[in-house]
Amino acid sequence: MRNNRNFKLILIGQIISLFGNAIQRFALSLYILDITGNSSIYANILALSIVPYIILAPIAGNIADNYNKKYMMILLDIIAGILMIICFILFIFKLDSTFLIAIVMLLLSTISVCYEPVVTSSIPQTVDIDYLQKANSYISQSGSWANILGPILGGILYGFLGIKLILIINGLSFLISAILECFIKFPKHQNTTYKSLNPLSAFIHMKNTLKTLSKNYKIILGIILSYGLYNISIVPIISVLFPTIINLNFNMPPQVYGILESIIASGLLISGVLINLKSNLFKFKTHYKWNYLMPLSMFLVGTLLIISNNINLSMLGITIGGFIIMFCLGIGNIITLTYIQTVVPKNILGSVSALSTAIATASIPIGQVSFGYLIRGNLNIGLILVLSSIIAFFVCSFVKLNIKNNYYLKK
């Protein structure tokens, strides 16, 4: 891995892009809040930016499977960089508006939905199979650091530099990433058939991918389904329930919430580090055992919220429980992604990656709306958590059965 120049270039490009996006997302939320006084507007824009991940998944998979990965990464980064520079110019001439920001976010999401499957399917072509899990853990850690430090840097840069300079910095980060990608060398046997990009052929390609998975790779379909089930039953605990408890029920100041959120998010980072240090503890065939820590922690935290009125004790339980959930999700994401990259044929790996992203992304609002409805129904928060832990237990059991019934590894 230390001498793998191609992977290092991909990783550095990912770090630059991930940090640039994280900083920009947070800065734009502050900017919209400043000009409108309404934080829900940005939330609606973020919800709208999910749409391309769902609609364009077949086209994204077609691009990743049938076009030169190096050229596609370079092209998409250049387009993103130019888009940010155009946005910067419009802001300079005071043509900024919430509508413009919404359009830019939609376009960036469109670029991202095409870019991610290309990167995911390119890693097995640059890394030996024995180092694939370690490579994915590095990518995961980069994303975790970006999610933890991005808002902090975004707040600092927004306060000192303003939104315009952040836009130009992010635009330059995309262009720098494109320059680095010019030096990547993929194997000469890489598939570059350049099939048509029309929607019909893309959907046919995705349909054929689904047929292949259902016939020969049922375990992969189970993994993809589990991503969606996790986002419906477990992830909203972190994104909806815990923020509601901390901010509304306990009325904690934003500074305290920010610290607790960072500690919880660090679970993803620690999972990647631990996989690197103790890879023998995390095998695909048995990794499902870690999943059961999630419903257990949800049940214990829910019980604590029901029986205790001590805010400090409850906050401690929420922080530890949230950290465990994020840690287990991180373990599962890295290990299952590595298995997919190892088993799935390379000519459909991009489509499988796009499909899994579409399923995972489409399920996010379902979970958020469901938990929002339960909270508005004035149910006891602790009881919601206990009931959710039961559902989460069945989801973890589904993951276990999927592995035990369908596990195989092609030699």
Side-chain angles (χ1 to χ4, degrees), residues 221-236:
L221 283 179
I223 290 172
I224 294 173
L225 179 57
S226 72
Y227 293 159
L229 293 175
Y230 281 142
N231 282 342
I232 292 173
S233 62
I234 296 177
V235 173

Side-chain angles (χ1 to χ4, degrees), residues 349-394:
L349 183 54
S351 291
V352 172
S353 174
L355 177 63
S356 65
T357 300
I359 296 296
T361 304
S363 61
I364 290 173
I366 298 174
Q368 291 176 337
V369 170
S370 300
F371 274 82
Y373 180 80
L374 291 173
I375 293 169
R376 289 193 298 271
N378 294 321
L379 286 176
N380 181 280
I381 293 291
L383 181 59
I384 293 175
L385 204 48
V386 169
L387 294 175
S388 299
S389 71
I390 298 173
I391 298 174
F393 175 84
F394 284 111

Side-chain angles (χ1 to χ4, degrees), residues 39 64-65 75 99 123 166 204 225 240 261 270 275 318 364:
S39 60
D65 288 335
L75 177 62
F99 178 74
I123 293 176
I166 289 177
I204 291 174
L225 179 57
V240 177
E261 188 179 50
I270 300 300
I275 283 179
I318 288 171
I364 290 173

Side-chain angles (χ1 to χ4, degrees), residues 56-305:
L56 300 178
I59 295 176
N62 196 22
I63 290 173
D65 288 335
N66 298 304
Y67 283 73
N68 186 290
K69 294 174 175 54
K70 173 181 174 177
Y71 295 156
M72 291 311 305
M73 284 192 285
I74 294 170
L75 177 62
L76 291 169
D77 271 333
I78 289 175
I79 293 173
I82 292 173
L83 175 63
M84 298 315 303
I85 292 172
I86 292 173
C87 187
F88 165 75
I89 294 171
L90 292 175
F91 270 64
I92 288 290
F93 287 98
K94 301 188 183 301
L95 298 174
D96 56 302
S97 65
T98 54
F99 178 74
L100 172 64
I101 293 173
I103 294 298
V104 170
M105 293 293 285
L106 270 175
L107 292 174
L108 285 175
S109 293
T110 301
I111 294 169
S112 180
V113 73
C114 296
Y115 187 86
E116 290 175 10
V118 173
V119 173
T120 299
S121 59
S122 70
I123 293 176
Q125 296 190 15
T126 59
V127 178
D128 291 338
I129 190 171
D130 293 337
Y131 296 101
L132 198 52
Q133 185 164 287
K134 181 173 287 190
N136 286 322
S137 72
Y138 283 137
I139 297 291
S140 176
Q141 289 175 62
S142 301
S144 299
W145 277 117
N147 289 331
I148 294 170
L149 298 179
I152 298 173
L153 294 173
I156 294 172
L157 292 175
Y158 182 77
F160 284 101
L161 303 179
I163 190 65
K164 297 183 185 69
L165 283 180
I166 289 177
L167 290 174
I168 195 67
I169 289 172
N170 196 29
L172 291 174
S173 74
F174 280 118
L175 296 179
I176 291 171
S177 180
I179 293 172
L180 291 174
E181 288 158 355
C182 291
F183 299 97
I184 297 173
K185 294 182 179 179
F186 284 114
K188 292 182 179 180
H189 63 268
Q190 184 196 109
N191 184 5
T192 54
T193 54
Y194 300 103
K195 293 181 181 179
S196 171
L197 269 182
N198 73 72
L200 179 60
S201 66
F203 276 93
I204 291 174
H205 181 68
M206 182 63 77
K207 180 181 178 182
N208 292 335
T209 298
L210 281 169
K211 284 184 178 179
T212 301
L213 292 180
S214 61
K215 183 178 180 180
N216 301 318
Y217 303 95
K218 289 185 175 64
I219 191 170
I220 303 298
L221 283 179
I223 290 172
I224 294 173
L225 179 57
S226 72
Y227 293 159
L229 293 175
Y230 281 142
N231 282 342
I232 292 173
S233 62
I234 296 177
V235 173
I237 301 296
I238 304 295
S239 62
V240 177
L241 199 63
F242 283 174
T244 300
I245 298 171
I246 296 170
N247 293 317
L248 299 181
N249 293 37
F250 295 161
N251 199 27
M252 290 290 113
Q255 295 89 338
V256 173
Y257 171 65
I259 293 171
L260 296 182
E261 188 179 50
S262 296
I263 294 173
I264 291 172
S266 68
L268 280 175
L269 177 64
I270 300 300
S271 67
V273 173
L274 199 56
I275 283 179
N276 266 333
L277 296 176
K278 297 288 184 180
S279 59
N280 59 306
L281 295 177
F282 306 100
K283 302 296 183 182
F284 176 80
K285 197 172 183 179
T286 57
H287 85 276
Y288 64 84
K289 295 178 181 178
W290 291 93
N291 293 341
Y292 286 103
L293 290 176
M294 292 189 287
L296 176 61
S297 63
M298 291 163 61
F299 180 82
L300 293 176
V301 174
T303 302
L304 176 63
L305 293 174

